Amino acid sequence: MGKIIAVANQKGGVGKTTTTVNLAAALAYLKKRILIVDFDPQANATQGVGAYNIGVNKSSYDLLFSDIPAKDTVKQLSIPPLSIVPATIELAGADLEMSEYKVGKELILKNRLNEIRDDYDFILIDCPPSLGLLNTNAFTAADSVLIPVQCEYYALEGLTQLLSTIRLVQRLFNRKLVIEGVLLTMFNATTNLSLEVQQEVRRYFKESTYTTHIPRSVKLSEAPSRGQTIFEYDIKSAGAIAYASLAKEVIKDNE
Ligand SMILES: Nc1ncnc2c1ncn2[C@@H]1O[C@H](COP(=O)(O)OP(=O)(O)O)[C@@H](O)[C@H]1O
Ligand SMILES: [Mg+2]
């Protein structure tokens, strides 16, 4: 049964999508069967893997609200060799639509992913920058949460809120939810700030923090505009090396 990992942090711009896309690609190139669920109406992961270039018909909105088989919302890519349930802007209305359900509004994604999770080794959910019902659905469906933390001044601010949301979902809907790992992103080795944030995060999250950190790298920010992951865009870049190393850590943690 595939492991479901929600990539989440309610702060925007911390590297959730960059991590979802490039970790997914790295795992896929390591021969793991990978599904990305783009759960952010901004659809950056969908763009980032180049799915828009080959056309999107069904989406994560349909996964939530339509009667079609879950597998029919999945789009298969050959480069990178993974699958994605793309997002469209329709998803922006999903929170409100789900809130009108009388029962089971937190379980919609979980029930739908149950139909297809056997087809994959890992399912990565790229969460939106909020703590609404989309995130609650992702946490209820997931086995674990991977938290990207940007190496900047307010890095830890907001994590308290994220952790208490995770605890609430644990208590109410998903006892087995755990923290998959905390990932330091946009690390700049030349600044004291990055080093300080790293120390603080490692002190707080201890061995839950990945050994790998993701360096700040222009290549990582350029790749999505081509609809490429870092491995097609520049496989020798520091970003590619870092995400490949993260993928190995994730695999090792799940052996
Ligand atoms: N390691 C990195 N180095 C440089 N730029 C990065 C890095 N990670 C992400 N970015 C850029 O920062 C912005 C926010 O990243 P993104 O992954 O979209 O964050 P989120 O999904 O949390 O909003 C994007 O423009 C992205 O290309
Ligand atoms: Mg994003």
Side-chain angles (χ1 to χ4, degrees), residues 17 40 44 126:
T17 301
D40 184 346
N44 293 336
D126 187 25

Side-chain angles (χ1 to χ4, degrees), residues 173-191:
F173 309 114
N174 186 5
R175 285 241 175 112
K176 61 180 183 19
L177 185 67
V178 294
I179 305 273
E180 180 70 29
V182 175
L183 177 68
L184 293 154
T185 63
M186 299 183 225
F187 185 87
N188 182 348
T190 65
T191 67

Side-chain angles (χ1 to χ4, degrees), residues 9 11-19 40 44 126-127 129 148 185-187 214-218 220-222 224 243:
N9 185 328
K11 256 193 191 183
V14 299
K16 291 182 290 296
T17 301
T18 306
T19 297
D40 184 346
N44 293 336
D126 187 25
C127 292
T185 63
M186 299 183 225
F187 185 87
I214 308 301
R216 185 172 276 286
S217 138
V218 177
L220 278 172
S221 61
E222 288 170 347
Y243 276 110

Side-chain angles (χ1 to χ4, degrees), residues 98-116:
M98 289 192 285
S99 70
E100 284 164 4
Y101 279 49
K102 290 252 167 17
V103 289
K105 52 175 159 255
E106 297 83 9
L107 306 175
I108 306 169
L109 181 66
K110 180 191 173 75
N111 290 334
R112 292 292 265 161
L113 288 182
N114 273 342
E115 289 177 41
I116 49 174

